[in-house]
Amino acid sequence: MLAQLSVLQRMRLLRASAAAIPSAASEAALATIADHPAMADHQPPKSSEPWLRQQLRSILYLVAGVFSAALALEAFILPSGLFDGGVTGISLLAARFIPLPLSVFLVALNLPFIWLGYRQLGKDFAIRALLAILALAIVLETVHFPVVTQDKMLIAVFGGFFLGAGIGLAMRGGGVLDGTEILAVYLSRKASLSVGDFVLMLNILIFLIVAVVLDVPTALYSILTYLAASKTIEFVVNGIEEYTGVTIISEHSDAIRRALTERLGRGVTVYAGHRGYGSHGEQPSPIDIVFTVVTRLEVSQVTDEVNRIDPKAFTIMHSVNDAKGGMVKKRALH
């Protein structure tokens, strides 16, 4: 189960978790932003969190993710006959037509991806992924959750929500419950398809098979399940404080800089630039460009200050998948 628009970000999160034991910006752009003067007001301190606490936190994430995914499968998705994308969806399809438990297919179909993860991300990641998937299989066989509802719309929405939360929490713990991401990244290095393209094509194929072999309504409800899980994964991985880069071009750039630093307490960088071509032709006069990185919750404060000073200011905003150091606030789930 994957979120198409943030696969690379989540793979970066997995790499970071495995080494320690996730767009609009590329890897190079993110690296540049992390070292940008707007974020370098203070040298970021080295992590002082004890090793044991890090491991316990990762284990808690993995356990919570396993039980959330098991709840989604047993209480919502399996009783209703709906499906999901990725390896989970393939496992559900296989269990529908082959008289073997779902847990068997989840483990068997994920093993090749775990091996790829070992080759791509290292032994620690592969061990965590294998343990998480084995734990999910054991919970599915030993812990039984009651069926919550028969309403397929509620099943699609909340089944996808709990499944996405489970996969996202497992990723925060440094493992995975679905190995499609690993294969997507691997194939994107060998072919012209991007990671997002591969994931989209795989899931389209899964839902087409469901529509042809079973029926169209089941496929449509399954797509809703997939979309709900995708957005939940994105929320769990990114958190509510998703970062936004804001570039402001204004003749009153110094007043805007002071407002952002003094009134809002944000770090900024000022670029020296000049105007290009507009309705009045070339304007070679120099102009300062203000850049800052804020959380999504702070965007309205920044725009209010800019509009108060210069309603005609040209403001550009874009999502930033990750940022650390300087005056950027720490994410709640990290």
Side-chain angles (χ1 to χ4, degrees), residues 180 183-185 187-188 193-203:
T180 315
L183 177 63
V185 172
L187 291 180
S188 69
L193 285 177
S194 69
V195 175
D197 291 337
F198 173 81
V199 172
L200 179 61
M201 290 177 62
L202 175 63
N203 288 322

Side-chain angles (χ1 to χ4, degrees), residues 311-331:
K312 296 182 179 180
F314 180 50
T315 305
I316 307 168
M317 301 184 191
H318 61 270
S319 297
V320 177
N321 283 339
D322 198 8
K324 57 185 177 180
M327 301 180 69
V328 176
K329 290 185 178 180
K330 188 177 180 181
R331 296 186 184 189

Side-chain angles (χ1 to χ4, degrees), residues 35-318:
D35 294 328
H36 207 278
M39 301 172 162
D41 294 347
H42 304 286
Q43 184 68 24
K46 295 182 178 179
S47 176
S48 58
E49 186 177 17
W51 177 86
L52 180 59
R53 182 178 298 176
Q54 291 180 357
Q55 302 308 307
L56 289 176
R57 184 177 60 179
S58 295
I59 292 172
L60 287 175
Y61 278 140
L62 289 171
V63 171
V66 165
F67 276 91
S68 180
L71 172 65
L73 291 170
E74 284 225 342
F76 293 94
I77 296 174
L78 280 173
S80 64
L82 298 186
F83 299 89
D84 185 34
V87 177
T88 305
I90 298 173
S91 300
L92 288 165
L93 267 174
R96 184 71 172 263
F97 299 105
I98 301 175
L100 288 174
L102 173 64
S103 55
V104 173
F105 293 107
L106 286 173
V107 175
L109 294 177
N110 273 298
L111 283 178
F113 304 116
I114 294 174
W115 180 80
L116 277 179
Y118 172 77
R119 297 289 301 272
Q120 299 289 318
L121 302 174
K123 182 175 68 174
D124 287 341
F125 167 78
I127 291 174
R128 287 173 181 268
L130 178 61
L131 291 177
I133 293 169
L134 288 174
L136 177 59
I138 293 172
V139 171
L140 286 174
E141 291 299 316
T142 58
V143 180
H144 300 290
F145 299 93
V147 176
V148 176
T149 179
Q150 301 295 331
D151 188 311
K152 285 200 171 184
M153 181 63 71
L154 293 177
I155 290 170
V157 173
F158 287 96
F161 169 78
F162 285 112
L163 183 60
I167 295 173
L169 288 170
M171 293 172 65
R172 297 300 296 266
V176 292
L177 295 178
D178 189 297
T180 315
E181 251 173 56
I182 305 169
L183 177 63
V185 172
Y186 176 77
L187 291 180
S188 69
R189 297 174 179 175
K190 307 292 183 180
S192 58
L193 285 177
S194 69
V195 175
D197 291 337
F198 173 81
V199 172
L200 179 61
M201 290 177 62
L202 175 63
N203 288 322
I204 288 175
L205 178 61
I206 292 173
F207 296 129
L208 281 176
I209 293 174
V210 173
V212 172
V213 176
L214 297 175
D215 55 74
V216 174
T218 299
L220 295 177
Y221 280 117
S222 298
I223 292 173
L224 284 179
T225 304
Y226 165 73
L227 293 175
S230 298
K231 296 306 294 184
T232 305
I233 291 173
E234 183 179 352
F235 177 80
V236 171
V237 171
N238 291 331
I240 192 171
E241 293 189 329
E242 182 180 357
Y243 298 120
T244 299
V246 184
T247 303
I248 306 159
I249 303 173
S250 169
E251 295 178 349
H252 306 281
S253 56
D254 189 61
I256 292 173
R257 176 191 62 80
R258 291 198 306 270
L260 296 181
T261 56
E262 297 173 8
R263 292 172 62 87
L264 301 184
R266 306 309 305 149
V268 304
T269 292
V270 179
Y271 296 98
H274 65 274
R275 294 183 184 275
Y277 289 89
S279 58
H280 302 290
E282 184 178 5
Q283 301 179 47
S285 58
I287 190 171
D288 288 336
I289 302 169
V290 180
F291 173 76
T292 186
V293 175
V294 296
T295 67
R296 183 166 51 187
L297 300 178
E298 297 169 317
V299 168
S300 61
Q301 294 178 324
V302 172
T303 55
D304 287 346
E305 288 294 330
V306 173
N307 290 332
R308 182 179 62 84
I309 297 170
D310 183 7
K312 296 182 179 180
F314 180 50
T315 305
I316 307 168
M317 301 184 191
H318 61 270

